[in-house]
Amino acid sequence: MNGSNGILVFTNKYSKKEIRELISELDNYDFICGMTTAASIEGGTILNETVKSVFPLKNLEYLLIEENNLSKEHAAETAVKLKSFKPKAIITLVSDLDGNIEEYLNQFGRLYPEAPIVGGVASNPKGFVNTFVFTKKRIISEGIVFLAIKGENIETFRDYAFGWRHLEKKFKITKAFKNRIYEIEDKPVIEFYRHYLGDMFLKNLEAVTLCFPLMVRRKGTLVARACIRINEDESISYTGNFREGEHAYFGVGGERKILLASRNLWWQMTKFSPDKIILFSCLGRKSFLGRKTLIEISPFASIGETTGGFVFGEIFGRKKPILLNHTLTAIGIKYKYEKRKGRNFKKFCPFHQKTESDIQHVIIEMLIHLANTVMKELEKKNREIKKLADTDGLTAIYNRRKILEELEKEIIRTQRYGNPLSVIIFDIDLFKEVNDTYGHLMGDKILREIAQIIKKRIRKPDIFGRYGGEEFLIVLPETDITGGVKFAEKIRKLIENHPFPIDRKITISLGVTEYKYGDTVDTLLARADRALYMAKESGRNKVCKLS
């Protein structure tokens, strides 16, 4: 070896002693960077042995950075160094058993969002134990290695294939820390899975991981998160982090859709026509496809030298670096000075032939469509039922139950933030006489008209409902008693001057009060009711307040 090459290594050696021996064997290379993988890729085959990808250093500059710490501070320092180097690609190898890589990438992305990153998280066939990344100098169990390359005579292309679809029903993550979920939709996470997937999920966690990964949005992209294990505290650990308050979806995988995504990636790589391809394929993807993984991997060898490994997670950056799962992530490197022979991609690549439809794929697609359609219809029905449960049938405004529920929420908000809150109770003066003289149908019409008049005048945050019979309640957040009286007087005049379809005036009496420390729904409304009584006793068609 003449020392004019560097080397990228994917190895099945999972102890520091074995890795040191491997490094010693490769000492003649200018640089070494490597990672442990559960299986390796070489050409069109999958191997359980060490695979090497040699980087000729002619007309190529490189920067190798190793960090045995995934802290935000180290991410910031490294981002600045790499950005100043102005690389064409950054091959990123990570060993992370504690779920720190996403926070690291987030901090890195704030300072270097356009970083041309591609890489993976080191793996081990025995699970999340004894994973390493390494260079000539260090073997790292929790850290990261960056190989940044540039040169006038090289070009790169990066992309990934996914292929999983998601069911449209979304679920709120209500308790989580890093890569652990404790509650979804306020249910313990195990109960959540049992509710939707049945008791069998506990015995088939691997099947859940492969067939129904949770999916969340990262930088606007839906990414999968596979289950790793159920912990002693009955939380579940995943291959990536979650945030409390965000929404997740169930992903659904189908072989044909996944292989079609791979075919599209192969075709894009074919058009680029690189000399070297490095693949980072998710171990979960490999398990899902089984023997058909070869159908996915082998076509890339028809383009150029292909190496890679099966990893616990894939790292990719377009706008900002993100952690992916269940993808096939690839980088192609082209050396402009290399002469390339013409290649017959039709001959070498089974993907080029149109994939035949099979009944399994059709069934999966129909089931996904059926599930999404049923969920949409159920959600629509639930919205309609909720609206009926919350709405007064005559006036189409909130009913008594709903308006009191909303008032309680506003009282809690006022207690928390100290903002003012006023309420108005009003009723229609001498409404019994209207019903007795003109009939209940006319009385109903007047109730509807009054509701619509006021509904058009309230602000967006205000809450309006029918309190009972001819009584109405208005809740005014962020409004003190002076503002409440002013608004009450405004609607009193509107009703007094409105031309109702009877030959007499309709007027209303209004009672106004504001929240005082220690008030409950009952005490607040009791005070507003006394103010209303004062308005009626003093001659009706008036506004009275009670502090």
Side-chain angles (χ1 to χ4, degrees), residues 106-124:
N106 286 338
Q107 182 64 25
F108 185 100
R110 289 187 185 101
L111 296 169
Y112 192 8
E114 71 280 14
I117 275 183
V118 63
V121 179
S123 63
N124 185 319

Side-chain angles (χ1 to χ4, degrees), residues 11-15 35-39 97 121-132 283 310-312:
T11 186
N12 65 337
K13 300 182 185 302
Y14 308 110
S15 71
M35 69 191 307
T36 59
T37 58
L97 300 177
V121 179
S123 63
N124 185 319
K126 293 181 180 178
F128 276 68
V129 292
N130 296 341
T131 64
F132 299 98
L283 195 57
F310 292 93
V311 294
F312 281 151

Side-chain angles (χ1 to χ4, degrees), residues 276-295:
K276 180 191 295 291
I277 299 169
I278 301 166
L279 301 176
F280 297 91
S281 184
C282 184
L283 195 57
R285 188 182 185 94
K286 176 178 179 288
S287 298
F288 183 85
L289 289 174
R291 293 180 180 179
K292 292 187 179 180
T293 305
L294 276 174
I295 296 176

Side-chain angles (χ1 to χ4, degrees), residues 430-444:
L430 304 172
F431 189 65
K432 185 177 183 302
E433 292 181 8
V434 173
N435 277 332
D436 291 345
T437 305
Y438 300 98
H440 287 281
L441 290 177
M442 181 57 70
D444 289 348

Side-chain angles (χ1 to χ4, degrees), residues 1 26 56 169 305 382 414 457 480 503 514 524 534:
M1 201 64 59
L26 303 173
K169 170 71 175 174
E305 175 199 313
N382 286 337
T414 295
R457 299 303 190 283
D480 61 15
D503 56 359
E514 68 178 341
L524 186 62
M534 289 164 53

Side-chain angles (χ1 to χ4, degrees), residues 284-387:
R285 188 182 185 94
K286 176 178 179 288
S287 298
F288 183 85
L289 289 174
R291 293 180 180 179
K292 292 187 179 180
T293 305
L294 276 174
I295 296 176
E296 175 170 79
I297 297 297
S298 59
F300 290 89
S302 70
I303 306 171
E305 175 199 313
T306 301
T307 54
F310 292 93
V311 294
F312 281 151
E314 309 80 67
I315 296 166
F316 186 81
R318 185 169 279 131
K319 295 180 180 177
K320 281 188 178 180
I322 57 175
L323 176 67
L324 304 170
N325 285 121
H326 285 34
T327 73
L328 173 63
T329 299
I331 177 170
I333 302 170
K334 183 192 295 185
Y335 302 104
K336 292 181 184 177
Y337 57 81
E338 291 285 338
K339 292 183 179 179
R340 281 178 293 280
K341 296 179 180 179
R343 297 164 189 154
N344 185 346
F345 295 114
K346 286 187 181 182
K347 178 180 176 182
F348 285 104
C349 185
F351 275 166
H352 193 85
Q353 309 303 321
K354 187 175 180 181
T355 307
E356 292 183 5
S357 174
D358 59 78
I359 191 66
Q360 183 191 28
H361 162 69
V362 173
I363 290 170
I364 288 171
E365 289 297 309
M366 287 192 298
L367 285 173
I368 293 170
H369 181 78
L370 174 64
N372 283 332
T373 302
V374 169
M375 281 189 289
K376 284 179 183 177
E377 290 175 352
L378 286 173
E379 285 174 358
K380 183 181 178 183
K381 287 290 182 186
N382 286 337
R383 285 194 299 269
E384 291 172 356
I385 292 168
K386 189 175 188 310
K387 187 175 180 181

